[in-house]
DNA sequence: ACCTGAACACCGTTCAAGT
DNA sequence: ACCTGAACACCGTTCAAGT
């Protein structure tokens, strides 16, 4: 059922998912899925949980590969990993980020989100402690990075890049460059310093 | 019909809109709206066109009030105006930004979007010419601002702020602060300069 | 324990027929 | 010119009945 749902999203976006159609593809009657998923929302939440697990694994793998790098470089790696995963898996990213159709509080989605968030904060605090970056509010810097990366990823999956002058095939590269600009700015003295 | 659609979105988000329910509220039969709107998408596109007109007016008013400010300050004003409008009119913002349910290429939506984009580019180029900011790619700076502001606005309307540690009532203030950080970074020397 | 298949209350959309 | 109201092909969800 989860696979069938993913296939339907791939074909026509998230609102093209119908429990009935997914059931038909699995070869089962319209009512059968409701023995396994309480509702359509629960089905999409299961898809989201799977997607979030993949995103988390992708990020953790990238961080493990960069274990020797400085905190700020690891922060950058985390951002890159997020962007690469979102741009490379638009279907799964769409489900995670469209909270109107899933139950984000449930199924460890919030917990996984918080783990990423804590990791970002921790890396930023280490970077400050090592004087790798200027003394900034780690919360603000993290939120700025998250908002930038999330904004870019959503613009990409919503097909907004062209109307802002970016060819889709150049989008990931551009996104990385903008993230770099933001992260590099953390290292430069602020007005008045 | 447009008003009824807005009311339905206000009550239950964009996917709670049904042409039949809107027709019922207007006191008309289920098929009647289809004489005036080709499809549900066309109806929501009409809502989006109205919303985009309001956003454009809001931004142009803010810029007119700041006509004496420097280009960079006007750029900031434009960003503030976008954030204030998006946070203050979540229903209308949702329609503009959910491109899966509207026809963005039609009805001047793209044109209005391009006008805002051109205005941002122009202000940035003036700011560079006046040496108000470092010499950067105006395209990159614009896209970074757009992605940050859009990301923040979507996080807000999707209810994601709490899971990133921001109380909703502090969200606009935080968003403005992060936009300030980004814009101020344009004034500081880059690595290697 | 799991599925079927009918049923209910909804959809978007079309279209003859009415005024 | 505009609306009605029935119709069609869909939905999500429930539930008795079957295996």
């Amino acid at each position: 059922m989860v696979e069938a749902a993913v296939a339907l999203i791939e074909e026509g976006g998230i609102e093209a998912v119908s429990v009935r159609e997914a059931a038909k593809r699995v070869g089962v009657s319209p009512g059968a899925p409701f023995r396994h998923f309480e509702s359509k929302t629960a089905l999409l939440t299961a898809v989201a949980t799977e997607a979030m697990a993949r995103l988390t694994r992708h990020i953790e793998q990238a961080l493990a590969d960069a274990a020797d790098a400085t905190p700020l470089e690891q922060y950058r790696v985390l951002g890159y990993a997020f962007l690469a995963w979102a741009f490379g898996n638009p279907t799964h990213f769409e489900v995670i980020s469209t909270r109107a159709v899933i139950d984000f509080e449930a199924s460890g989605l919030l917990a996984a989100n918080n783990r990423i968030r804590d990791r970002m904060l921790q890396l930023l605090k280490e970077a400050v402690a090592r004087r790798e970056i200027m003394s900034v509010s780690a919360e603000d810097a993290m939120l700025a990075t998250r908002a930038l990366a999330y904004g870019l990823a959503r613009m990409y999956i919503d097909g907004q890049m062209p109307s802002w002058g970016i060819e889709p095939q150049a989008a990931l590269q551009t996104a990385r460059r903008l993230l770099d600009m933001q992260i590099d700015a953390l290292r430069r003295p602020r007005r008045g310093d």
Side-chain angles (χ1 to χ4, degrees), chain A residues 13 29 33 48 58 91 111 116 131 134 139-140 188:
Chain A
S29 75
H58 185 75
T91 301
I116 295 172
R131 303 192 180 284
M134 297 292 110
E139 255 91 10
D140 278 358
R188 304 202 302 279

Side-chain angles (χ1 to χ4, degrees), chain A residues 104-118:
Chain A
F104 195 77
E105 321 297 317
S107 313
L109 283 171
L110 228 169
N113 194 69
N114 286 344
R115 268 218 311 288
I116 295 172
R117 188 178 148 235
D118 290 346

Side-chain angles (χ1 to χ4, degrees), chain A residues 71-117:
Chain A
L72 188 65
E73 288 314 309
Q74 289 189 46
Y75 186 76
R76 193 190 309 269
V77 163
L78 193 158
Y80 273 35
F82 175 86
L83 287 174
W85 190 84
F87 281 62
N89 303 275
T91 301
H92 284 96
F93 181 75
E94 193 182 357
V95 185
I96 300 181
S97 63
T98 309
R99 302 203 181 174
V101 301
I102 62 175
D103 180 10
F104 195 77
E105 321 297 317
S107 313
L109 283 171
L110 228 169
N113 194 69
N114 286 344
R115 268 218 311 288
I116 295 172
R117 188 178 148 235

Side-chain angles (χ1 to χ4, degrees), chain A residues 24 40 61 72 86 89 106 112-113 126:
Chain A
K24 196 201 280 184
K40 181 179 180 179
Q61 185 60 55
L72 188 65
N89 303 275
N113 194 69
E126 284 175 30

Side-chain angles (χ1 to χ4, degrees), chain A residues 139-152:
Chain A
E139 255 91 10
D140 278 358
M142 172 199 69
L143 200 65
T145 299
R146 152 74 193 186
L148 179 66
Y150 182 67
L152 288 164

Side-chain angles (χ1 to χ4, degrees), chain A residues 17-96:
Chain A
V17 177
S18 102
V19 178
R20 290 179 101 104
E21 177 63 24
K24 196 201 280 184
R25 294 193 182 196
V26 170
V28 99
S29 75
F34 290 91
R35 298 283 135 181
H36 304 274
F37 301 96
E38 208 178 285
S39 63
K40 181 179 180 179
T41 297
L43 170 59
L44 288 173
T45 302
V47 177
T49 302
E50 166 69 16
M52 186 63 106
R54 292 189 198 189
L55 170 59
T56 299
R57 231 167 345 186
H58 185 75
I59 287 176
E60 275 167 6
Q61 185 60 55
L63 285 177
D65 291 346
D68 296 339
T70 65
L72 188 65
E73 288 314 309
Q74 289 189 46
Y75 186 76
R76 193 190 309 269
V77 163
L78 193 158
Y80 273 35
F82 175 86
L83 287 174
W85 190 84
F87 281 62
N89 303 275
T91 301
H92 284 96
F93 181 75
E94 193 182 357
V95 185
I96 300 181

